[in-house]
Amino acid sequence: MLTLELPPQKTQTAFNLRRWAELLADHEWASVEGRIETDRHGHVIMSPPPAPSHGSFQLEIGALLRELLPNGRVLTECPISTADGVKAADVARASAECMKKLGQQVCFPHAPEICVEVISPGNTRAEIQEKMALYFDAGAVEVWLCERSGVMKFFRPGPQPMRSPKLCPPFPRQIRLN
């Protein structure tokens, strides 16, 4: 087993915010289609644009969150500083207090309360587990997963999903696309 010693969270966050600001200021990146994230060293990680259903699930989840939790903001492709660089949650829900703390920063120095990942065919279980751990480490209260079938799984730190989310109990357990 390999153990990595990561820099202190405060140091990594400062680096992530600087690097993300550099990327946003570079006009070359503005024309790149697909998802852009970074690793903890600031290297760019690119993914191709997802299938249309991926975006449809993002939109539907975001609309439901906005309707069910109106006091806050719902974001897609939400940049979050983590111990392993800047990761983009497919959907995130941030309270008004969380948005106030964000201020003028270019990415969230701490994860919003709810982070949602829509599973793509290329995602591995290990990759999703790692991303969930990074979101929790960055301060997420809940991480939700949307399977390709639309089935939702809700997590707080720990391996077992919850029956329903504590932060939004009426959220459906399955998203249906028309």
Side-chain angles (χ1 to χ4, degrees):
M1 176 176 274
L2 174 68
T3 302
L4 297 175
E5 189 167 326
L6 299 174
Q9 184 72 29
K10 192 174 183 177
T11 304
Q12 185 67 48
T13 297
F15 173 78
N16 289 344
L17 295 177
R18 279 193 314 275
R19 181 65 176 130
W20 199 250
E22 289 171 5
L23 292 172
L24 291 179
D26 185 338
H27 298 292
E28 294 292 320
W29 289 109
S31 62
V32 174
E33 197 169 325
R35 176 182 289 203
I36 296 174
E37 297 179 321
T38 65
D39 66 12
R40 67 184 172 276
H41 304 292
H43 300 127
V44 173
I45 301 167
M46 296 177 58
S47 301
S53 62
H54 191 279
S56 295
F57 280 125
Q58 283 179 288
L59 183 64
E60 189 63 29
I61 291 165
L64 285 165
L65 278 169
R66 188 172 181 182
E67 177 185 325
L68 297 169
L69 298 173
N71 297 325
R73 187 171 305 165
V74 175
L75 307 105
T76 58
E77 302 297 329
C78 180
I80 302 165
S81 175
T82 74
D84 192 31
V86 175
K87 305 303 176 200
D90 287 318
V91 182
R93 196 281 180 174
S95 65
E97 180 182 328
C98 184
M99 290 305 301
K100 188 176 179 180
K101 287 180 185 175
L102 177 63
Q104 299 301 312
Q105 298 189 61
V106 295
C107 91
F108 281 81
H110 302 286
E113 294 86 352
I114 299 172
C115 294
V116 184
E117 282 298 313
V118 177
I119 307 299
S120 295
N123 291 134
T124 65
R125 177 169 297 232
E127 175 186 7
I128 295 301
Q129 292 297 321
E130 185 176 295
K131 211 161 194 187
M132 288 175 57
L134 288 168
Y135 291 151
F136 283 129
D137 183 61
V141 177
E142 294 183 0
V143 176
W144 301 357
L145 302 179
C146 177
E147 301 286 346
R148 289 187 293 153
S149 64
V151 169
M152 297 294 298
K153 293 183 180 172
F154 311 101
F155 294 86
R156 287 208 165 201
Q160 296 302 317
M162 300 179 292
R163 191 157 167 71
S164 64
K166 301 233 186 291
L167 294 178
C168 188
F171 199 89
R173 288 190 223 152
Q174 175 142 24
I175 304 297
R176 299 191 192 285
L177 301 178
N178 296 332

